[in-house]
Amino acid sequence: MSQERLIEIETGILSENDRHAQINRRRLADLGAYAVNLVSSPGSGKTTLLCATIRAMTGPVAVIEGDQQTTNDADRIRETGAPACQVNTGKGCHLDGHMVGHALDHLGIGQDTTLFIENVGNLVCPAAFDLGEDAKVAILSVTEGEDKPLKYPDMFTAARLALLNKVDLAPHCDVDLDLYEANLRRVNPGIEIIRTSARTGEGLEAWIGWLASEAAAKRRKTAAE
Amino acid sequence: MSQERLIEIETGILSENDRHAQINRRRLADLGAYAVNLVSSPGSGKTTLLCATIRAMTGPVAVIEGDQQTTNDADRIRETGAPACQVNTGKGCHLDGHMVGHALDHLGIGQDTTLFIENVGNLVCPAAFDLGEDAKVAILSVTEGEDKPLKYPDMFTAARLALLNKVDLAPHCDVDLDLYEANLRRVNPGIEIIRTSARTGEGLEAWIGWLASEAAAKRRKTAAE
């Protein structure tokens, strides 16, 4: 197959995805909800951090869980009392706008709901797929090493916020957290960074504060339109 | 685009990849080399483990390094004295047979060379792409959590050996190594498992022994043909 034909196909897939993403974005705005797309490597601690986040939050939340297989993560989220919808992608490597649209039908999303979309663990493919979220949030485990932002730049360019997670493990790893942050800013000078640990609770308040502040900014913007 | 058309396109891409992979496999067999395709999440410690492995090995080795961006990993490999060729995939999420064929042109591979192909850090897409290797070896950091084999089953079904890496961090994580191994065997009953740590050297001898034994088995098989 020619390179031109491959590019044409890819463009077609992405533009179809963007159409679904725009429908989701409109729908979430009409409902008065705020949505983040959580992206990371497998095993960065997304679900554990998300459970701790939900337990510490006071407002309404809903969760879409993406994985190739199993309903483990949605089950863990439901234990917190939050509604969760699991999407299994099978051989697929990312959530797309169409899948998220279907998942929205199964969640009671209303005014001031914070919607967390936990993407398939993958630092490459989810970067290209808009889901209709308000912001992408990248979660990195400190155990992954400081060079990850440089090696997977698309994801960190696309993210508004990075959560540098499992900081409780930093003393046991050969990791330089300042260099980690410098590398994030090297690929994305505007990225915000919060150091977090679901184990010790470090950074949870700042992360929940960030969510509240972004949701409030969206409400003001929507009211002004 | 219809689902049928998408499947047709995917089948076309994979069969073209398989053609390149078969050429690589023939070429490596003719040279008398043995090749492993190292697959994992980003940050599982592949390169650090590979550097320690190369330093402890006595025979000839060569390395192909796959990353979206940077030549960091090939630079680290070359510091051990081993020849390395970096392949940057740009927006791509995996190495393919064609890329590996080109990389082979730049490496002095001869009789009894062990070729390590370090794939892009991604637990999904590289599972589908044969590179012409003799075996896929999956590397998992213990920090990623015991559920990873269940959530990304394709990769662990495709792998012959799993290296359960960074075991020195296990006492600092809430991880059950026996459950980790049980989950690996649940998706792939025939998988072999070695617990490793580049930091302490645990498992290095067993891993190098495994490589030597597999390469010897290949030589015997090739001689008998």
Side-chain angles (χ1 to χ4, degrees):
Chain A
M1 195 176 304
S2 74
Q3 193 67 17
E4 289 70 25
R5 182 71 191 117
L6 273 177
I7 290 169
E8 199 183 308
I9 291 161
E10 198 175 308
T11 308
I13 292 172
L14 286 174
S15 78
E16 191 162 319
N17 178 74
D18 285 350
R19 198 173 56 79
H20 286 287
Q22 282 310 323
I23 295 169
N24 297 343
R25 186 164 283 119
R26 185 71 266 159
R27 193 168 162 191
L28 290 165
D30 289 346
L31 289 165
Y34 175 78
V36 283
N37 178 359
L38 305 174
V39 289
S40 83
S41 300
S44 66
K46 280 194 299 302
T47 315
T48 305
L49 187 70
L50 189 48
C51 288
T53 303
I54 291 169
R55 287 199 170 95
M57 283 175 76
T58 49
V61 301
V63 180
I64 297 172
E65 282 290 339
D67 275 306
Q68 279 200 291
Q69 294 291 343
T70 83
T71 60
N72 294 359
D73 286 356
D75 296 342
R76 286 170 66 192
I77 296 292
R78 284 189 204 107
E79 280 172 19
T80 69
C85 178
Q86 181 81 45
V87 179
N88 281 146
T89 60
K91 297 212 175 284
C93 49
H94 59 270
L95 291 175
D96 64 29
H98 191 214
M99 294 171 189
V100 168
H102 279 297
L104 291 177
D105 298 337
H106 298 278
L107 292 166
I109 294 172
Q111 188 66 35
D112 299 337
T113 296
T114 303
L115 173 66
F116 296 97
I117 308 171
E118 187 179 333
N119 220 313
V120 177
N122 181 337
L123 274 192
V124 186
C125 316
F129 287 81
D130 183 10
L131 305 178
E133 72 273 6
D134 294 291
K136 280 191 177 67
V137 175
I139 302 177
L140 302 103
S141 163
V142 299
T143 62
E144 291 170 31
E146 311 89 342
D147 56 347
K148 292 308 156 296
L150 307 180
K151 289 167 71 176
Y152 304 89
D154 287 354
M155 189 59 93
F156 300 101
T157 305
R160 178 97 57 84
L161 170 71
L163 300 178
L164 204 44
N165 197 31
K166 304 195 193 182
V167 284
D168 55 290
L169 287 179
H172 309 293
C173 307
D174 306 313
V175 66
D176 177 342
L177 295 183
D178 293 333
L179 179 59
Y180 221 135
E181 296 199 1
N183 284 343
L184 278 165
R185 294 202 172 93
R186 206 165 130 193
V187 298
N188 181 352
I191 202 165
E192 295 178 74
I193 304 170
I194 301 172
R195 298 182 183 188
T196 54
S197 164
R199 233 186 182 184
T200 67
E202 181 177 340
L204 264 190
E205 206 174 297
W207 156 229
I208 292 169
W210 185 91
L211 287 166
S213 143
E214 291 287 312
K218 181 182 180 181
R219 276 196 299 274
R220 281 197 303 276
K221 200 178 151 210
T222 311
E225 274 170 0
Chain B
M1 197 176 301
S2 75
Q3 193 65 19
E4 288 71 23
R5 181 72 190 115
L6 272 177
I7 290 170
E8 199 183 307
I9 291 161
E10 198 174 308
T11 309
I13 291 171
L14 286 174
S15 79
E16 192 163 318
N17 179 74
D18 285 350
R19 196 173 57 78
H20 286 286
Q22 282 311 322
I23 295 169
N24 297 343
R25 186 165 283 118
R26 186 69 265 159
R27 193 169 162 190
L28 289 165
D30 289 345
L31 289 166
Y34 174 77
V36 284
N37 178 359
L38 304 175
V39 290
S40 84
S41 300
S44 66
K46 279 195 300 302
T47 315
T48 305
L49 188 69
L50 189 48
C51 289
T53 303
I54 291 170
R55 288 200 169 94
M57 283 175 77
T58 48
V61 301
V63 179
I64 297 171
E65 281 290 338
D67 274 305
Q68 281 200 291
Q69 293 291 342
T70 83
T71 60
N72 295 359
D73 286 356
D75 295 342
R76 287 171 66 191
I77 296 293
R78 285 191 202 105
E79 281 172 19
T80 68
C85 178
Q86 181 81 49
V87 179
N88 281 147
T89 60
K91 296 210 175 286
C93 49
H94 59 271
L95 291 175
D96 63 30
H98 190 215
M99 295 172 189
V100 167
H102 280 296
L104 290 177
D105 298 335
H106 299 278
L107 292 166
I109 294 173
Q111 188 65 37
D112 299 338
T113 296
T114 304
L115 173 66
F116 296 98
I117 308 170
E118 189 181 330
N119 220 313
V120 177
N122 180 336
L123 274 191
V124 186
C125 316
F129 286 81
D130 183 10
L131 305 179
E133 73 273 5
D134 294 292
K136 278 191 178 67
V137 175
I139 301 179
L140 302 104
S141 162
V142 299
T143 62
E144 292 170 31
E146 311 89 344
D147 56 347
K148 292 305 157 295
L150 306 179
K151 289 167 72 176
Y152 304 89
D154 287 353
M155 188 60 92
F156 301 101
T157 305
R160 178 99 56 83
L161 170 70
L163 301 178
L164 204 44
N165 197 30
K166 303 194 192 182
V167 284
D168 55 291
L169 287 178
H172 309 293
C173 307
D174 307 312
V175 66
D176 177 341
L177 295 183
D178 292 332
L179 179 60
Y180 221 135
E181 295 199 1
N183 284 344
L184 278 164
R185 293 202 172 91
R186 206 165 129 194
V187 298
N188 180 352
I191 201 164
E192 295 178 74
I193 304 169
I194 300 172
R195 297 182 184 188
T196 54
S197 164
R199 233 186 181 185
T200 66
E202 180 175 342
L204 265 190
E205 206 174 296
W207 157 228
I208 292 169
W210 185 91
L211 287 167
S213 143
E214 291 287 312
K218 182 183 179 180
R219 277 196 299 275
R220 281 195 304 276
K221 200 176 152 214
T222 310
E225 274 168 5

